[in-house]
Amino acid sequence: MTGLNLQSLSWGDDGELAADDRLDLVNVLLTQSLPEVQVELIRTVERIAIAGATAMAEVSVS
């Protein structure tokens, strides 16, 4: 059994989790997940990063 990991998370005024806390959360989830779940977590993070980059590009062009 893995050890208990307690940590306070920072939330922005917009209700989003702070960027560095997102990374911490993903790292904890990855280390505690089954290999199949790890692959899905990585895919999801990649999709979010691509979607965010696309949104930023659209906002910058406008």
Side-chain angles (χ1 to χ4, degrees):
M1 182 173 188
T2 59
L4 183 60
N5 185 359
L6 296 176
Q7 179 178 346
S8 176
L9 301 175
S10 298
W11 299 90
D13 293 335
D14 59 357
E16 293 291 323
L17 190 58
D20 40 332
D21 282 339
R22 285 184 221 154
L23 181 59
D24 289 342
L25 180 60
V26 169
N27 283 330
V28 168
L29 291 173
L30 281 172
T31 59
Q32 297 179 3
S33 299
L34 297 170
E36 299 83 22
V37 176
Q38 290 175 347
V39 171
E40 288 303 315
L41 282 169
I42 292 168
R43 285 183 186 147
T44 301
V45 169
E46 289 173 343
R47 279 188 231 122
I48 291 169
I50 291 169
T54 303
M56 291 295 282
E58 291 174 4
V59 170
S60 297
V61 171
S62 298

